[in-house]
Amino acid sequence: TLAVKPLPALPADLPDEQIDQAGMHAHWSAMRDTHDFFGMLRDFRVGRHQAMRLIGSEYAMPVANDAVRIMLEQAAASGLSIMCFVGNPGCIQIHTGPVANIKMMGDWLNVMDPKFNLHLRTDRIATSWLVRKPTDDGVVTSLELFDEQQRQFVQFFGERKPGQKENAQWRELAESLVAGVPDRRRRSALTGLGLTALGLSALTAGGSLQAAVAAAAPDGAPQRIVSVGSDLTEIVYALGAGGQVVATD
């Protein structure tokens, strides 16, 4: 029997005025690896989105929410190889390689390639950020998307490995997105998570749907469901949870 326990609640972010912003800036400037970012968030008790707001334009800048579409279309046109990270507290999946077939279908932004599918609800994007992280290999640039609850749900990089400098073509493309910065007061009125589907593996194996939901939503209320497989999708809707489905394969 598989025992599924809820994830422990994350500590609340400190109010902005209690953040040691000078210390955080010094830590960010001294990063030697992109993974040092997580230690900074923990040490300063600052949320990821909160850090973007507070760090300043040297390291993070808001961009228009259609930046992800522009980026994917331009990457497809040039053959640029990218990295796409999709995750939540229970699972993360990474695609590395070029993209080719980019299609908008209503609010859905889709990559429909033979070996990579991405389905992203653009109406669930609340904010988008161009982020720069110093490393021993030079600055690493990413495009990060957040939902209305200030949760990051997808991020993009140029393809690279540790020990390699960032692809100059990716950096040029990413930096060009800053030109489309909207009024920072503009926000999506919709709530929920703009999650993507990459042909994700099931978050649990052998457990019940209720157990999987409990793992993703500690209070027991289904908040967001990724369904893999048409049969499972039908079951989810039959159980009355269709309103929480944010992505299917």
Side-chain angles (χ1 to χ4, degrees), residues 19-21 23-31 34-48 50-52 55 59 133:
I19 300 295
D20 177 5
Q21 296 187 36
M24 183 181 71
H25 191 279
H27 190 124
W28 193 311
S29 300
M31 283 194 290
T34 56
H35 298 99
D36 294 343
F37 185 73
F38 300 102
M40 183 199 73
L41 298 180
R42 181 191 63 244
D43 292 347
F44 289 90
R45 284 187 61 186
V46 61
R48 191 180 190 108
Q50 185 181 31
M52 305 300 168
I55 194 61
Y59 292 126
K133 300 185 183 79

Side-chain angles (χ1 to χ4, degrees), residues 3-248:
V4 179
K5 297 181 179 179
L7 292 171
L10 295 175
D13 300 339
L14 291 176
D16 287 0
E17 60 272 15
Q18 294 184 27
I19 300 295
D20 177 5
Q21 296 187 36
M24 183 181 71
H25 191 279
H27 190 124
W28 193 311
S29 300
M31 283 194 290
R32 303 185 63 185
D33 185 275
T34 56
H35 298 99
D36 294 343
F37 185 73
F38 300 102
M40 183 199 73
L41 298 180
R42 181 191 63 244
D43 292 347
F44 289 90
R45 284 187 61 186
V46 61
R48 191 180 190 108
H49 186 272
Q50 185 181 31
M52 305 300 168
R53 292 192 293 101
L54 298 178
I55 194 61
S57 59
E58 178 183 4
Y59 292 126
M61 295 189 68
V63 297
N65 286 339
D66 64 350
V68 61
R69 174 188 58 79
I70 295 170
M71 180 276 294
L72 287 171
E73 290 176 348
Q74 293 191 13
S78 65
L80 177 65
S81 185
I82 64 172
M83 300 179 73
C84 176
F85 291 70
V86 175
N88 61 29
C91 179
I92 188 167
Q93 191 162 359
I94 305 170
H95 166 77
T96 302
V99 292
N101 191 18
I102 315 299
K103 299 289 186 183
M104 282 296 304
M105 299 180 182
D107 292 323
W108 290 89
L109 174 60
N110 305 280
V111 180
M112 304 178 70
D113 292 344
K115 296 184 178 181
F116 173 52
N117 274 211
L118 173 74
H119 308 291
L120 189 153
R121 281 191 61 172
T122 58
D123 61 329
R124 298 296 179 92
I125 303 171
T127 59
S128 305
W129 294 80
L130 180 75
V131 184
R132 308 178 186 98
K133 300 185 183 79
T135 74
D136 287 345
D137 304 317
V139 172
V140 173
T141 312
S142 60
L143 175 64
E144 304 194 10
L145 308 185
F146 292 79
D147 68 9
E148 193 71 18
Q149 283 71 49
Q150 300 184 356
R151 297 172 297 197
Q152 187 231 63
F153 58 90
V154 62
Q155 60 180 326
F156 298 88
F157 297 83
E159 181 181 359
R160 63 176 292 273
K161 295 183 181 297
Q164 296 180 348
K165 292 188 177 296
E166 182 172 71
N167 184 313
Q169 185 181 359
W170 162 258
R171 182 176 297 178
E172 181 180 0
L173 170 55
E175 292 289 347
S176 73
L177 302 173
V178 175
V181 175
D183 187 323
R184 293 188 62 174
R185 294 169 297 177
R186 180 180 168 193
R187 295 291 183 267
S188 169
L190 298 175
T191 60
L193 177 65
L195 190 63
T196 57
L198 289 162
L200 288 171
S201 302
L203 300 185
T204 61
S208 66
L209 176 63
Q210 289 86 349
V213 169
D219 63 1
Q223 297 175 359
R224 42 199 166 111
I225 298 173
V226 175
S227 174
V228 181
S230 58
D231 291 342
L232 179 58
T233 301
E234 291 180 7
I235 293 171
V236 171
Y237 275 86
L239 291 172
Q244 282 73 51
V245 173
V246 294
T248 63

